Amino acid sequence: MDSRNYCGLRLSFVKHTGLISYCWPSDKGSSRDCVITSNISTTEAFSSNASSLSTLDQEPQERNEEYVRKKEPETELKHIVFGVAASSNLWDKRKEYIKLWWKPGETRGVVWLDKYVKNSRNEGLPDIRISGDTSKFLYTNRQGQRSALRISRVVSETLRLGLKDVRWFVMGDDDTVFVVENVVRVLSKYDHNQYYYIGSSSESHVQNIFFSYAMAFGGGGFAISYPLAKELEKMQDRCIQRYPGLYGSDDRIQACMAELGVPLTKERGFHQYDVYGNLLGLLGAHPVTPLVSLHHLDVVDPIFPGMSQVSGLQRLFESAKLDSASLMQQSICYDKDKYWSISVSFGYVVQIIRGNISPRELEMPTRTFLNWYRRADYTAYAFNTRPVTKHPCQKPFVYYMNTAKYDRSRNQIIGIYYRHREPAPYCRWKVESPENINNIVLLKKPDSNRWKKSPRRHCCGVLPSNNNSKSNLYMWVGSCRDGEISEL
């Protein structure tokens, strides 16, 4: 008797008088299915029937699906349906966040509320529906709220609406802002015909330990492929009953995903932002991945000082309209003549620091924020951070984006970044100070295809300017050329 592995099956070859049979485990258990061949060698029997055995690994329906996928167009915004979990108590304030990213006539989705609210017809908001009754479900967590049961069923209730041509369901809160073009870019990487559960963890190490590193935090948003949403809808109500002690909605989703055997596929552009304070450190050093979402906007400071959170985000979305793929993407360069290190976060901020700071350090967020438990404890973050410098000469000069426009004739985005007026501490270094620079003019060509290539930071540089404009610094940002690096 001879045994071999073929296409994941353990095949046994049994030699009879004048005959050869090969067998494989049956789907029904320990019994085996066998085929008897003529009197030839084991090797010949294996080779002559290899082509017929290959069909065991690929059912006709699977082969047809593979053919269809090759013919399918790329995922577009119309293939994505958003499910927004909202509260009637906070609706008047939170709906302003939804207006920022919702595109009437283009985006598809539903806001799920606990009860009816008054809205005018022309507010540019998604359809509003009332969540189903969850009183039959048990909830025993003393720290949480029963609304978690309602919110956990948003994807399933959205699926039951029977919308056509859906590939993905994206879940978010009413204080979550999405960059929908980047949602499309991220989800386009994955086969929507397969089971995918896509999102990200919390910034808080303690939160991830308490809930799970395997859980997509719902405030930052997560995506579920259509076939997985169908499987979730079939079993979710039974699943919810098995976990009455869980705190929130996202841990209930993850518990059901664990029962379905589907792990979290992590995409770092979904941002829970379980932090307090100033997001400058985080947004100024965004990871090299598309910015997909921002959350907890009621908790953190406005992203542009001196503005409301909503008006600041409106300004940010002006840059998103011009080059959403590059929004918040960091570039690092150096002015070697002036001995400056420069970090650019496109559409948001430019920071100039005296002295040489390596790219390895600059791509690490500075701790301008506190963790979820309002402590300045750097060990509480689930990623590397660096302290805010105490050296007076290395305090960054910060320039926030003020306006941006597109020059069609040159295919170029022109962004104007104004200096944030803060007193500069006294510095003994004999290094030119950036304090005389009031504006930075940043030039960049749109690059909508940057995420179809391998991820890499864009390069940047300082442009020459005439001596009459010492208060302006001209810079460029763009794809790195061959051999170009961020060199000290």
Side-chain angles (χ1 to χ4, degrees):
M1 180 173 178
D2 186 20
S3 297
R4 302 187 192 186
N5 283 318
Y6 183 75
C7 297
L9 300 177
R10 186 70 176 174
L11 305 182
S12 302
F13 299 85
V14 184
K15 190 168 184 179
H16 300 282
T17 304
L19 296 172
I20 296 288
S21 68
Y22 53 87
C23 312
W24 59 89
S26 169
D27 291 339
K28 297 180 180 179
S30 58
S31 61
R32 295 187 295 177
D33 296 323
C34 297
V35 173
I36 298 178
T37 72
S38 58
N39 188 10
I40 55 178
S41 70
T42 302
T43 303
E44 290 172 334
F46 184 85
S47 301
S48 63
N49 290 280
S51 60
S52 62
L53 281 171
S54 66
T55 59
L56 295 171
D57 260 9
Q58 192 175 39
E59 296 296 329
Q61 183 179 355
E62 292 175 348
R63 294 200 300 273
N64 289 337
E65 287 178 354
E66 182 178 352
Y67 176 79
V68 169
R69 284 198 296 274
K70 291 178 181 178
K71 296 290 184 180
E72 283 182 331
E74 288 191 8
T75 294
E76 300 176 31
L77 185 56
K78 66 181 181 180
H79 298 125
I80 300 170
V81 172
F82 292 87
V84 179
S87 165
S88 58
N89 292 332
L90 299 170
W91 179 243
D92 285 340
K93 181 178 182 181
R94 297 280 180 85
K95 69 181 180 181
E96 300 303 320
Y97 293 133
I98 300 173
K99 290 177 185 178
L100 291 167
W101 61 270
W102 188 258
K103 298 176 181 292
E106 297 181 55
T107 38
R108 304 167 68 194
V110 177
V111 171
W112 294 93
L113 282 161
D114 50 333
K115 60 183 180 182
Y116 286 103
V117 293
K118 291 182 179 180
N119 280 318
S120 63
R121 292 183 178 180
N122 300 320
E123 284 195 89
L125 289 165
D127 290 338
I128 294 175
R129 293 182 180 260
I130 306 304
S131 300
D133 181 26
T134 57
S135 59
K136 66 178 180 180
F137 297 107
L138 193 62
Y139 187 86
T140 60
N141 191 295
R142 295 182 179 180
Q143 295 177 303
Q145 298 178 348
R146 283 191 61 88
S147 59
L149 295 168
R150 175 181 72 84
I151 295 171
S152 69
R153 300 170 80 237
V154 161
V155 171
S156 292
E157 291 193 312
T158 307
L159 173 74
R160 292 178 192 133
L161 298 177
L163 301 174
K164 303 298 182 184
D165 199 20
V166 180
R167 297 184 181 182
W168 297 93
F169 292 96
V170 174
M171 164 80 180
D173 286 351
D174 51 3
D175 63 338
T176 305
V177 169
F178 290 101
V179 182
V180 294
E181 297 86 357
N182 287 337
V183 174
V184 175
R185 288 186 176 99
V186 167
L187 297 184
S188 295
K189 298 191 299 183
Y190 301 97
D191 179 3
H192 61 90
N193 296 291
Q194 305 297 322
Y195 289 2
Y196 276 108
Y197 166 51
I198 301 172
S200 190
S201 302
S202 170
E203 294 74 23
S204 166
H205 181 49
V206 178
Q207 288 282 89
N208 289 322
I209 291 174
F210 182 79
F211 291 100
S212 174
Y213 269 101
M215 182 187 91
F217 277 68
F222 58 83
I224 296 178
S225 60
Y226 184 82
L228 178 56
K230 287 203 302 184
E231 291 303 308
L232 175 67
E233 189 274 335
K234 292 176 187 175
M235 55 83 77
Q236 188 177 24
D237 284 358
R238 302 194 309 275
C239 174
I240 288 174
Q241 289 285 46
R242 289 190 279 272
Y243 300 97
L246 293 180
Y247 175 86
S249 59
D250 35 18
D251 48 356
R252 282 177 167 76
I253 290 284
Q254 194 272 326
C256 298
M257 290 298 168
E259 292 192 0
L260 289 165
V262 179
L264 173 64
T265 298
K266 289 194 176 182
E267 283 286 349
R268 294 189 299 163
F270 290 88
H271 295 299
Q272 173 74 8
Y273 284 150
D274 281 340
V275 295
Y276 285 90
N278 190 345
L279 291 182
L280 173 63
L282 286 170
L283 297 180
H286 193 274
V288 187
T289 192
L291 173 69
V292 176
S293 66
L294 302 168
H295 179 235
H296 274 149
L297 298 169
D298 287 346
V299 171
V300 296
D301 297 343
I303 63 171
F304 288 102
M307 304 180 71
S308 70
Q309 191 69 278
V310 171
S311 58
L313 289 165
Q314 286 172 337
R315 177 178 292 183
L316 184 70
F317 272 83
E318 290 302 312
S319 292
K321 292 175 184 176
L322 301 175
D323 190 359
S324 57
S326 297
L327 188 65
M328 291 290 183
Q329 294 305 305
Q330 186 186 28
S331 301
I332 295 171
C333 51
Y334 299 89
D335 188 327
K336 296 183 180 180
D337 294 334
K338 294 183 172 64
Y339 202 56
W340 291 347
S341 301
I342 304 174
S343 172
V344 177
S345 177
F346 175 75
Y348 177 51
V349 74
V350 178
Q351 299 179 76
I352 302 177
I353 307 167
R354 284 173 287 199
N356 280 340
I357 301 178
S358 70
R360 185 176 183 271
E361 295 172 273
L362 288 176
E363 69 180 10
M364 208 179 294
T366 52
R367 295 193 284 270
T368 61
F369 46 89
L370 298 175
N371 65 46
W372 190 240
Y373 298 93
R374 296 182 184 270
R375 293 193 295 269
D377 177 10
Y378 73 92
T379 64
Y381 303 117
F383 51 92
N384 295 116
T385 61
R386 60 190 174 99
V388 176
T389 182
K390 294 181 180 180
H391 197 296
C393 293
Q394 292 201 306
K395 180 179 179 180
F397 287 78
V398 181
Y399 299 79
Y400 286 101
M401 199 277 288
N402 183 268
T403 58
K405 66 178 183 179
Y406 176 63
D407 184 344
R408 189 177 300 276
S409 63
R410 298 182 181 181
N411 185 31
Q412 189 169 255
I413 299 169
I414 303 171
I416 310 296
Y417 294 69
Y418 286 177
R419 183 181 162 201
H420 180 52
R421 294 294 174 181
E422 283 185 325
Y426 174 71
C427 173
R428 293 170 178 257
W429 286 1
K430 294 181 179 180
V431 174
E432 185 174 340
S433 173
E435 63 186 327
N436 294 324
I437 296 174
N438 295 322
N439 308 308
I440 293 177
V441 181
L442 186 67
L443 308 178
K444 184 185 184 304
K445 292 185 181 295
D447 188 5
S448 60
N449 294 321
R450 69 175 296 174
W451 300 113
K452 294 184 178 179
K453 298 171 281 188
S454 60
R456 186 185 182 186
R457 278 200 323 263
H458 274 176
C459 288
C460 64
V462 176
L463 294 168
S465 59
N466 60 56
N467 294 328
N468 296 327
S469 58
K470 290 186 177 180
S471 64
N472 294 332
L473 180 69
Y474 292 84
M475 296 185 63
W476 62 270
V477 169
S479 298
C480 300
R481 294 164 292 190
D482 290 346
E484 189 171 18
I485 62 174
S486 300
E487 191 171 10
L488 292 167

PDB file of all heavy atoms in Angstrom, residues 3 52 58 71 77 112 115-116 145 153 166 170 180 226 248-249 251 264 267 271 290 294 301 341 364 438 478:
ATOM      1  N   SER A   3       0.938   5.678   0.010  1.00  0.00           N
ATOM      2  CA  SER A   3       0.130   6.865   0.333  1.00  0.00           C
ATOM      3  C   SER A   3       0.844   8.104  -0.166  1.00  0.00           C
ATOM      4  O   SER A   3       2.079   8.216  -0.047  1.00  0.00           O
ATOM      5  CB  SER A   3      -0.098   6.996   1.846  1.00  0.00           C
ATOM      6  OG  SER A   3      -0.839   5.897   2.309  1.00  0.00           O
ATOM      7  N   SER A  52      -8.258  14.365 -13.442  1.00  0.00           N
ATOM      8  CA  SER A  52      -9.618  14.182 -12.937  1.00  0.00           C
ATOM      9  C   SER A  52      -9.694  14.434 -11.445  1.00  0.00           C
ATOM     10  O   SER A  52     -10.680  14.926 -10.929  1.00  0.00           O
ATOM     11  CB  SER A  52     -10.117  12.760 -13.247  1.00  0.00           C
ATOM     12  OG  SER A  52      -9.302  11.794 -12.604  1.00  0.00           O
ATOM     13  N   GLN A  58     -11.816  21.824  -6.788  1.00  0.00           N
ATOM     14  CA  GLN A  58     -12.462  22.992  -7.388  1.00  0.00           C
ATOM     15  C   GLN A  58     -13.818  22.588  -7.948  1.00  0.00           C
ATOM     16  O   GLN A  58     -13.922  21.986  -9.001  1.00  0.00           O
ATOM     17  CB  GLN A  58     -11.566  23.565  -8.493  1.00  0.00           C
ATOM     18  CG  GLN A  58     -12.017  24.926  -8.979  1.00  0.00           C
ATOM     19  CD  GLN A  58     -11.039  25.491  -9.982  1.00  0.00           C
ATOM     20  OE1 GLN A  58     -10.522  24.758 -10.807  1.00  0.00           O
ATOM     21  NE2 GLN A  58     -10.808  26.783  -9.921  1.00  0.00           N
ATOM     22  N   LYS A  71     -14.169  39.020 -14.780  1.00  0.00           N
ATOM     23  CA  LYS A  71     -14.954  39.918 -15.629  1.00  0.00           C
ATOM     24  C   LYS A  71     -15.529  41.098 -14.852  1.00  0.00           C
ATOM     25  O   LYS A  71     -15.995  42.055 -15.446  1.00  0.00           O
ATOM     26  CB  LYS A  71     -16.107  39.136 -16.282  1.00  0.00           C
ATOM     27  CG  LYS A  71     -15.661  38.024 -17.232  1.00  0.00           C
ATOM     28  CD  LYS A  71     -15.037  38.598 -18.496  1.00  0.00           C
ATOM     29  CE  LYS A  71     -14.682  37.511 -19.493  1.00  0.00           C
ATOM     30  NZ  LYS A  71     -14.072  38.068 -20.729  1.00  0.00           N
ATOM     31  N   LEU A  77     -17.709  53.276  -5.308  1.00  0.00           N
ATOM     32  CA  LEU A  77     -18.479  53.763  -4.165  1.00  0.00           C
ATOM     33  C   LEU A  77     -19.901  53.222  -4.180  1.00  0.00           C
ATOM     34  O   LEU A  77     -20.486  52.947  -3.126  1.00  0.00           O
ATOM     35  CB  LEU A  77     -18.479  55.290  -4.149  1.00  0.00           C
ATOM     36  CG  LEU A  77     -19.144  55.981  -2.962  1.00  0.00           C
ATOM     37  CD1 LEU A  77     -18.547  55.510  -1.640  1.00  0.00           C
ATOM     38  CD2 LEU A  77     -19.029  57.497  -3.089  1.00  0.00           C
ATOM     39  N   TRP A 112     -29.222  54.499  11.563  1.00  0.00           N
ATOM     40  CA  TRP A 112     -30.125  53.744  12.446  1.00  0.00           C
ATOM     41  C   TRP A 112     -30.199  54.441  13.793  1.00  0.00           C
ATOM     42  O   TRP A 112     -29.202  54.601  14.500  1.00  0.00           O
ATOM     43  CB  TRP A 112     -29.621  52.314  12.609  1.00  0.00           C
ATOM     44  CG  TRP A 112     -29.686  51.529  11.337  1.00  0.00           C
ATOM     45  CD1 TRP A 112     -28.701  51.376  10.409  1.00  0.00           C
ATOM     46  CD2 TRP A 112     -30.817  50.806  10.849  1.00  0.00           C
ATOM     47  NE1 TRP A 112     -29.156  50.595   9.364  1.00  0.00           N
ATOM     48  CE2 TRP A 112     -30.445  50.229   9.604  1.00  0.00           C
ATOM     49  CE3 TRP A 112     -32.116  50.592  11.321  1.00  0.00           C
ATOM     50  CZ2 TRP A 112     -31.317  49.455   8.849  1.00  0.00           C
ATOM     51  CZ3 TRP A 112     -32.983  49.811  10.571  1.00  0.00           C
ATOM     52  CH2 TRP A 112     -32.584  49.251   9.357  1.00  0.00           C
ATOM     53  N   LYS A 115     -35.032  56.280  18.040  1.00  0.00           N
ATOM     54  CA  LYS A 115     -36.394  56.790  17.862  1.00  0.00           C
ATOM     55  C   LYS A 115     -36.366  57.911  16.830  1.00  0.00           C
ATOM     56  O   LYS A 115     -35.303  58.415  16.465  1.00  0.00           O
ATOM     57  CB  LYS A 115     -36.973  57.274  19.188  1.00  0.00           C
ATOM     58  CG  LYS A 115     -36.199  58.398  19.850  1.00  0.00           C
ATOM     59  CD  LYS A 115     -36.826  58.744  21.203  1.00  0.00           C
ATOM     60  CE  LYS A 115     -36.063  59.868  21.898  1.00  0.00           C
ATOM     61  NZ  LYS A 115     -36.645  60.182  23.229  1.00  0.00           N
ATOM     62  N   TYR A 116     -37.529  58.312  16.379  1.00  0.00           N
ATOM     63  CA  TYR A 116     -37.626  59.292  15.301  1.00  0.00           C
ATOM     64  C   TYR A 116     -37.121  60.668  15.739  1.00  0.00           C
ATOM     65  O   TYR A 116     -37.271  61.066  16.893  1.00  0.00           O
ATOM     66  CB  TYR A 116     -39.072  59.404  14.817  1.00  0.00           C
ATOM     67  CG  TYR A 116     -39.512  58.213  13.997  1.00  0.00           C
ATOM     68  CD1 TYR A 116     -40.333  57.232  14.549  1.00  0.00           C
ATOM     69  CD2 TYR A 116     -39.102  58.080  12.670  1.00  0.00           C
ATOM     70  CE1 TYR A 116     -40.726  56.128  13.803  1.00  0.00           C
ATOM     71  CE2 TYR A 116     -39.498  56.981  11.915  1.00  0.00           C
ATOM     72  CZ  TYR A 116     -40.311  56.009  12.483  1.00  0.00           C
ATOM     73  OH  TYR A 116     -40.686  54.926  11.746  1.00  0.00           O
ATOM     74  N   GLN A 145     -24.315  49.899  28.239  1.00  0.00           N
ATOM     75  CA  GLN A 145     -25.701  50.282  27.990  1.00  0.00           C
ATOM     76  C   GLN A 145     -26.342  49.309  27.004  1.00  0.00           C
ATOM     77  O   GLN A 145     -25.672  48.796  26.098  1.00  0.00           O
ATOM     78  CB  GLN A 145     -25.763  51.713  27.437  1.00  0.00           C
ATOM     79  CG  GLN A 145     -25.223  52.761  28.380  1.00  0.00           C
ATOM     80  CD  GLN A 145     -25.255  54.156  27.765  1.00  0.00           C
ATOM     81  OE1 GLN A 145     -25.466  54.327  26.565  1.00  0.00           O
ATOM     82  NE2 GLN A 145     -25.043  55.169  28.592  1.00  0.00           N
ATOM     83  N   ARG A 153     -26.567  45.184  15.700  1.00  0.00           N
ATOM     84  CA  ARG A 153     -27.374  44.582  14.638  1.00  0.00           C
ATOM     85  C   ARG A 153     -27.508  45.484  13.409  1.00  0.00           C
ATOM     86  O   ARG A 153     -28.276  45.191  12.501  1.00  0.00           O
ATOM     87  CB  ARG A 153     -28.761  44.248  15.192  1.00  0.00           C
ATOM     88  CG  ARG A 153     -28.705  43.274  16.369  1.00  0.00           C
ATOM     89  CD  ARG A 153     -30.047  43.125  17.065  1.00  0.00           C
ATOM     90  NE  ARG A 153     -30.936  42.224  16.348  1.00  0.00           N
ATOM     91  CZ  ARG A 153     -32.142  42.545  15.899  1.00  0.00           C
ATOM     92  NH1 ARG A 153     -32.590  43.792  16.070  1.00  0.00           N
ATOM     93  NH2 ARG A 153     -32.884  41.663  15.289  1.00  0.00           N
ATOM     94  N   VAL A 166     -24.598  45.142  -3.906  1.00  0.00           N
ATOM     95  CA  VAL A 166     -23.809  45.497  -2.720  1.00  0.00           C
ATOM     96  C   VAL A 166     -22.631  44.532  -2.613  1.00  0.00           C
ATOM     97  O   VAL A 166     -22.807  43.315  -2.709  1.00  0.00           O
ATOM     98  CB  VAL A 166     -24.655  45.427  -1.438  1.00  0.00           C
ATOM     99  CG1 VAL A 166     -23.816  45.794  -0.217  1.00  0.00           C
ATOM    100  CG2 VAL A 166     -25.861  46.350  -1.545  1.00  0.00           C
ATOM    101  N   VAL A 170     -20.227  48.899   5.422  1.00  0.00           N
ATOM    102  CA  VAL A 170     -19.289  49.617   6.286  1.00  0.00           C
ATOM    103  C   VAL A 170     -20.066  50.196   7.455  1.00  0.00           C
ATOM    104  O   VAL A 170     -21.041  50.918   7.274  1.00  0.00           O
ATOM    105  CB  VAL A 170     -18.559  50.736   5.517  1.00  0.00           C
ATOM    106  CG1 VAL A 170     -17.695  51.561   6.469  1.00  0.00           C
ATOM    107  CG2 VAL A 170     -17.703  50.142   4.407  1.00  0.00           C
ATOM    108  N   VAL A 180     -14.532  58.789   1.950  1.00  0.00           N
ATOM    109  CA  VAL A 180     -15.156  57.677   1.224  1.00  0.00           C
ATOM    110  C   VAL A 180     -14.306  57.199   0.052  1.00  0.00           C
ATOM    111  O   VAL A 180     -14.319  56.011  -0.294  1.00  0.00           O
ATOM    112  CB  VAL A 180     -16.588  58.045   0.759  1.00  0.00           C
ATOM    113  CG1 VAL A 180     -17.499  58.245   1.960  1.00  0.00           C
ATOM    114  CG2 VAL A 180     -16.587  59.282  -0.124  1.00  0.00           C
ATOM    115  N   TYR A 226     -20.106  41.241   1.590  1.00  0.00           N
ATOM    116  CA  TYR A 226     -21.515  40.860   1.471  1.00  0.00           C
ATOM    117  C   TYR A 226     -21.769  39.398   1.864  1.00  0.00           C
ATOM    118  O   TYR A 226     -22.693  39.118   2.649  1.00  0.00           O
ATOM    119  CB  TYR A 226     -22.005  41.113   0.049  1.00  0.00           C
ATOM    120  CG  TYR A 226     -23.482  40.846  -0.134  1.00  0.00           C
ATOM    121  CD1 TYR A 226     -24.431  41.796   0.217  1.00  0.00           C
ATOM    122  CD2 TYR A 226     -23.934  39.618  -0.632  1.00  0.00           C
ATOM    123  CE1 TYR A 226     -25.781  41.551   0.068  1.00  0.00           C
ATOM    124  CE2 TYR A 226     -25.284  39.363  -0.785  1.00  0.00           C
ATOM    125  CZ  TYR A 226     -26.209  40.322  -0.435  1.00  0.00           C
ATOM    126  OH  TYR A 226     -27.550  40.069  -0.577  1.00  0.00           O
ATOM    127  N   GLY A 248     -19.985  46.181  24.685  1.00  0.00           N
ATOM    128  CA  GLY A 248     -20.449  47.013  23.577  1.00  0.00           C
ATOM    129  C   GLY A 248     -20.949  46.239  22.377  1.00  0.00           C
ATOM    130  O   GLY A 248     -21.208  45.037  22.438  1.00  0.00           O
ATOM    131  N   SER A 249     -21.067  46.965  21.273  1.00  0.00           N
ATOM    132  CA  SER A 249     -21.556  46.358  20.039  1.00  0.00           C
ATOM    133  C   SER A 249     -20.427  45.714  19.248  1.00  0.00           C
ATOM    134  O   SER A 249     -20.599  44.625  18.684  1.00  0.00           O
ATOM    135  CB  SER A 249     -22.241  47.409  19.170  1.00  0.00           C
ATOM    136  OG  SER A 249     -21.346  48.469  18.856  1.00  0.00           O
ATOM    137  N   ASP A 251     -17.597  44.384  20.316  1.00  0.00           N
ATOM    138  CA  ASP A 251     -17.132  43.100  20.850  1.00  0.00           C
ATOM    139  C   ASP A 251     -18.148  41.991  20.596  1.00  0.00           C
ATOM    140  O   ASP A 251     -17.778  40.820  20.467  1.00  0.00           O
ATOM    141  CB  ASP A 251     -16.756  43.190  22.335  1.00  0.00           C
ATOM    142  CG  ASP A 251     -17.775  43.886  23.205  1.00  0.00           C
ATOM    143  OD1 ASP A 251     -18.774  44.383  22.664  1.00  0.00           O
ATOM    144  OD2 ASP A 251     -17.568  43.957  24.432  1.00  0.00           O
ATOM    145  N   LEU A 264      -9.903  39.137  12.007  1.00  0.00           N
ATOM    146  CA  LEU A 264      -9.853  40.539  11.622  1.00  0.00           C
ATOM    147  C   LEU A 264      -8.711  40.770  10.639  1.00  0.00           C
ATOM    148  O   LEU A 264      -7.573  40.373  10.890  1.00  0.00           O
ATOM    149  CB  LEU A 264      -9.663  41.412  12.858  1.00  0.00           C
ATOM    150  CG  LEU A 264      -9.431  42.908  12.610  1.00  0.00           C
ATOM    151  CD1 LEU A 264     -10.656  43.543  11.959  1.00  0.00           C
ATOM    152  CD2 LEU A 264      -9.075  43.614  13.913  1.00  0.00           C
ATOM    153  N   GLU A 267      -6.520  47.118   8.809  1.00  0.00           N
ATOM    154  CA  GLU A 267      -6.177  48.253   7.958  1.00  0.00           C
ATOM    155  C   GLU A 267      -6.000  49.464   8.866  1.00  0.00           C
ATOM    156  O   GLU A 267      -6.939  49.906   9.524  1.00  0.00           O
ATOM    157  CB  GLU A 267      -7.271  48.513   6.915  1.00  0.00           C
ATOM    158  CG  GLU A 267      -7.264  47.540   5.753  1.00  0.00           C
ATOM    159  CD  GLU A 267      -6.120  47.811   4.779  1.00  0.00           C
ATOM    160  OE1 GLU A 267      -5.476  48.877   4.899  1.00  0.00           O
ATOM    161  OE2 GLU A 267      -5.868  46.954   3.916  1.00  0.00           O
ATOM    162  N   HIS A 271      -9.439  54.813  12.139  1.00  0.00           N
ATOM    163  CA  HIS A 271      -8.907  55.388  13.377  1.00  0.00           C
ATOM    164  C   HIS A 271      -9.988  55.508  14.446  1.00  0.00           C
ATOM    165  O   HIS A 271     -10.919  56.311  14.325  1.00  0.00           O
ATOM    166  CB  HIS A 271      -8.305  56.763  13.105  1.00  0.00           C
ATOM    167  CG  HIS A 271      -7.103  56.717  12.216  1.00  0.00           C
ATOM    168  ND1 HIS A 271      -5.952  56.038  12.543  1.00  0.00           N
ATOM    169  CD2 HIS A 271      -6.880  57.265  10.986  1.00  0.00           C
ATOM    170  CE1 HIS A 271      -5.064  56.170  11.575  1.00  0.00           C
ATOM    171  NE2 HIS A 271      -5.606  56.906  10.612  1.00  0.00           N
ATOM    172  N   PRO A 290      -3.861  54.764   3.401  1.00  0.00           N
ATOM    173  CA  PRO A 290      -4.903  55.779   3.195  1.00  0.00           C
ATOM    174  C   PRO A 290      -5.642  56.133   4.486  1.00  0.00           C
ATOM    175  O   PRO A 290      -5.952  55.250   5.295  1.00  0.00           O
ATOM    176  CB  PRO A 290      -5.850  55.117   2.184  1.00  0.00           C
ATOM    177  CG  PRO A 290      -5.038  54.074   1.505  1.00  0.00           C
ATOM    178  CD  PRO A 290      -4.061  53.583   2.525  1.00  0.00           C
ATOM    179  N   LEU A 294     -11.974  59.015  10.940  1.00  0.00           N
ATOM    180  CA  LEU A 294     -11.617  59.692  12.187  1.00  0.00           C
ATOM    181  C   LEU A 294     -12.794  59.549  13.144  1.00  0.00           C
ATOM    182  O   LEU A 294     -13.947  59.703  12.742  1.00  0.00           O
ATOM    183  CB  LEU A 294     -11.340  61.180  11.946  1.00  0.00           C
ATOM    184  CG  LEU A 294     -10.241  61.542  10.939  1.00  0.00           C
ATOM    185  CD1 LEU A 294     -10.305  63.032  10.616  1.00  0.00           C
ATOM    186  CD2 LEU A 294      -8.882  61.182  11.484  1.00  0.00           C
ATOM    187  N   ASP A 301      -9.401  67.721  20.703  1.00  0.00           N
ATOM    188  CA  ASP A 301      -9.413  69.140  20.340  1.00  0.00           C
ATOM    189  C   ASP A 301      -9.706  69.289  18.843  1.00  0.00           C
ATOM    190  O   ASP A 301      -9.421  68.379  18.054  1.00  0.00           O
ATOM    191  CB  ASP A 301      -8.053  69.778  20.636  1.00  0.00           C
ATOM    192  CG  ASP A 301      -7.696  69.763  22.116  1.00  0.00           C
ATOM    193  OD1 ASP A 301      -8.612  69.567  22.941  1.00  0.00           O
ATOM    194  OD2 ASP A 301      -6.503  69.932  22.435  1.00  0.00           O
ATOM    195  N   SER A 341      14.931  70.327   9.823  1.00  0.00           N
ATOM    196  CA  SER A 341      14.194  69.102   9.505  1.00  0.00           C
ATOM    197  C   SER A 341      12.735  69.487   9.280  1.00  0.00           C
ATOM    198  O   SER A 341      12.158  70.224  10.080  1.00  0.00           O
ATOM    199  CB  SER A 341      14.293  68.088  10.646  1.00  0.00           C
ATOM    200  OG  SER A 341      15.640  67.755  10.914  1.00  0.00           O
ATOM    201  N   MET A 364       7.528  58.856  13.815  1.00  0.00           N
ATOM    202  CA  MET A 364       6.952  58.402  15.081  1.00  0.00           C
ATOM    203  C   MET A 364       6.124  59.539  15.676  1.00  0.00           C
ATOM    204  O   MET A 364       6.615  60.656  15.837  1.00  0.00           O
ATOM    205  CB  MET A 364       8.090  58.022  16.034  1.00  0.00           C
ATOM    206  CG  MET A 364       7.752  56.977  17.062  1.00  0.00           C
ATOM    207  SD  MET A 364       9.222  56.621  18.094  1.00  0.00           S
ATOM    208  CE  MET A 364      10.310  55.883  16.883  1.00  0.00           C
ATOM    209  N   ASN A 438       6.272  83.267   7.547  1.00  0.00           N
ATOM    210  CA  ASN A 438       4.854  83.354   7.912  1.00  0.00           C
ATOM    211  C   ASN A 438       3.987  82.368   7.149  1.00  0.00           C
ATOM    212  O   ASN A 438       2.978  81.893   7.672  1.00  0.00           O
ATOM    213  CB  ASN A 438       4.341  84.780   7.662  1.00  0.00           C
ATOM    214  CG  ASN A 438       5.023  85.799   8.557  1.00  0.00           C
ATOM    215  OD1 ASN A 438       5.288  85.521   9.729  1.00  0.00           O
ATOM    216  ND2 ASN A 438       5.340  86.965   8.011  1.00  0.00           N
ATOM    217  N   GLY A 478       5.949  65.137  -3.785  1.00  0.00           N
ATOM    218  CA  GLY A 478       5.628  64.273  -4.915  1.00  0.00           C
ATOM    219  C   GLY A 478       6.298  62.919  -4.790  1.00  0.00           C
ATOM    220  O   GLY A 478       7.034  62.643  -3.826  1.00  0.00           O
TER     221      GLY A 478
END
